[in-house]
Amino acid sequence: MPNPHPTTSVEPVPTVPYDALLLLSFGGPERPEDVVPFLENVTRGRGIPRERLEEVGRHYYLFGGRSPINDQNRALIAAIEKDLAEHGLDLPVYWGNRNWEPYVADTVEQMARDGVRRALCLATSAYSSWSSCRQYRDNLADALAAVPADLVAPQVDKVRAFYNHPGFVAANVDGVLAALADLPDEVRDAARLVFVTHSIPVSMSEASGPDGGAYVSQHLDVAAVVADQVAAATGATRTHEFVYCSRSGSPHVPWLEPDVNDRLEELAAEGVPAVVLVPVGFVSDHMEVVYDLDTEALATAERLGIEARRAASAGTHPAFVAAIRELVLERAARERGEDVPRPAVGARGPSHDCCPAGCCLGERASAARS
């Protein structure tokens, strides 16, 4: 006899236990009058005189006093929301910044007022170091602690370092391929792939990750993967290397080198005819990219007679947007106790979900701008 009250299994919501996604970013000025106050936020406690901030601010004034990063975050959020909706996922996306509006403290308070109880945080930085990971975590912790006592602050977990997720890598590979295709035929196969990331103090680099040295080794690992995939796609193996940009701070403090402009001088002397600048250390084309690479480095290459193109960053590339969804679903499943694949390419494997207590300690010096 059939059961008059059949039981039905209910599929778990794929994003449980998370009821929101928080995009946490650096922030940037929106108007010329925002520039110096923004830089004061970035450098607070470091004793940098206003004259120096005004000097750095001229980079922003070249672009109307407006950083590209906020508009890029708006575009990324729109792309994430569209992708989630297309895959039947109802997960609100919030946005907070460390150094400019919308401030993360205000966003976290709004999340509490909206009844968010547990959120997953995606920081717009793919690598491990104090300035690219732990400082985001510390600022987020401060924001959560500042939630008014009459509200319940949400629990917020941070997405694992995603530099070697296949989707992030695929976006960068496509950027390199498009840049190579734009080079003259006669120099394309001889082009040097010059991967670029933000320089940080050597002491910070040495203290990055749970065992030290993660910042550099992660970048080198992903550069090798991108170069290999580009070679497979084009049938030409090209020399690749890593350089740095956006050094700031005291000249007496050692920072990661070589600087991209210095290295271009050397490559010209070596007779390298063409380069593709690959900003694999950056998620989007913000100020370090549009000024330090598009403005300064490309001008250096032109002066030296090197054909140079700049590859696009991951930005809103569909593979990267899909990777964000995959990272959300992966972490949600793991929090539910499920054993799920954790995609990663290269030699290092997937990063930890929860940072160890001593991870990325060391010198607490942050980058001067974004």
Side-chain angles (χ1 to χ4, degrees):
M1 179 174 182
N3 184 348
H5 303 290
T7 58
T8 57
S9 61
V10 178
E11 288 292 325
V13 178
T15 59
V16 167
Y18 299 111
D19 50 7
L21 176 65
L22 169 64
L23 184 76
L24 178 58
S25 194
F26 194 86
E30 302 268 18
R31 308 169 297 169
E33 53 266 40
D34 295 341
V35 171
V36 172
F38 160 72
L39 293 173
E40 288 173 338
N41 285 345
V42 175
T43 60
R44 182 164 288 115
R46 294 168 59 188
I48 297 178
R50 185 180 179 88
E51 304 79 57
R52 170 59 180 154
L53 298 183
E54 291 174 346
E55 180 183 343
V56 173
R58 68 183 176 85
H59 301 164
Y60 292 94
Y61 299 135
L62 290 173
F63 300 91
R66 183 182 181 91
S67 169
I69 194 171
N70 289 333
D71 286 338
Q72 289 163 4
N73 282 329
R74 293 181 182 102
L76 180 57
I77 289 168
I80 293 170
E81 291 174 334
K82 182 175 183 291
D83 180 83
L84 291 174
E86 289 174 348
H87 289 82
L89 301 175
D90 182 16
L91 192 71
V93 183
Y94 291 81
W95 171 32
N97 290 325
R98 286 174 38 208
N99 297 296
W100 202 249
E101 299 172 350
Y103 290 106
V104 63
D106 296 333
T107 300
V108 167
E109 180 176 332
Q110 185 61 54
M111 292 167 68
R113 294 188 185 281
D114 291 347
V116 173
R117 291 295 172 260
R118 190 168 180 185
L120 191 59
C121 173
L122 175 80
T124 56
S125 180
Y127 301 86
S128 300
S129 76
W130 182 77
S131 63
S132 58
C133 182
R134 191 172 186 106
Q135 191 177 22
Y136 283 91
R137 291 173 49 213
D138 290 350
N139 291 162
L140 179 58
D142 291 343
L144 291 167
V147 170
D150 62 329
L151 298 174
V152 177
Q155 176 182 336
V156 183
D157 302 328
K158 183 177 176 294
V159 170
R160 66 177 168 99
F162 55 83
Y163 68 95
N164 60 357
H165 190 284
F168 181 71
V169 170
N172 280 280
V173 169
D174 281 355
V176 175
L177 292 174
L180 284 169
D182 194 46
L183 283 170
D185 293 346
E186 62 271 17
V187 297
R188 186 176 299 121
D189 287 351
R192 182 74 55 93
L193 303 184
V194 180
F195 291 85
V196 191
T197 194
H198 203 303
S199 183
I200 61 174
V202 170
S203 58
M204 186 191 297
S205 174
E206 291 174 345
S208 60
D211 303 312
Y215 186 76
V216 171
S217 60
Q218 288 173 356
H219 280 89
L220 293 177
D221 193 40
V222 75
V225 172
V226 171
D228 285 347
Q229 292 191 15
V230 168
T234 62
T237 299
R238 298 171 178 84
T239 301
H240 77 274
E241 59 185 274
F242 225 102
V243 301
Y244 301 90
C245 70
S246 311
R247 183 206 159 105
S248 63
S250 169
H252 305 294
V253 176
W255 282 54
L256 293 175
E257 296 177 336
D259 174 78
V260 58
N261 295 286
D262 294 340
R263 184 58 183 147
L264 287 172
E265 296 275 0
E266 296 171 349
L267 292 177
E270 294 170 14
V272 173
V275 300
V276 171
L277 300 174
V278 189
V280 73
F282 304 98
V283 168
S284 65
D285 293 355
H286 49 74
M287 189 58 70
E288 279 85 350
V289 178
V290 299
Y291 181 80
D292 295 347
L293 299 186
D294 292 352
T295 304
E296 285 195 327
L298 289 183
T300 297
E302 183 177 13
R303 173 176 58 80
L304 296 169
I306 298 177
E307 286 283 354
R309 301 293 186 271
R310 199 265 293 171
S313 56
T316 57
H317 189 289
F320 178 48
V321 175
I324 294 171
R325 168 174 38 85
E326 293 166 8
L327 286 162
V328 170
L329 295 177
E330 171 197 307
R331 181 62 180 274
R334 286 171 61 82
E335 291 299 315
R336 296 193 301 266
E338 300 173 20
D339 185 13
V340 293
R342 306 181 70 216
V345 293
R348 294 180 57 86
S351 296
H352 42 257
D353 283 336
C354 300
C355 296
C359 193
C360 293
L361 290 175
E363 182 182 352
R364 299 201 160 197
S366 64
R369 64 188 194 283
S370 184

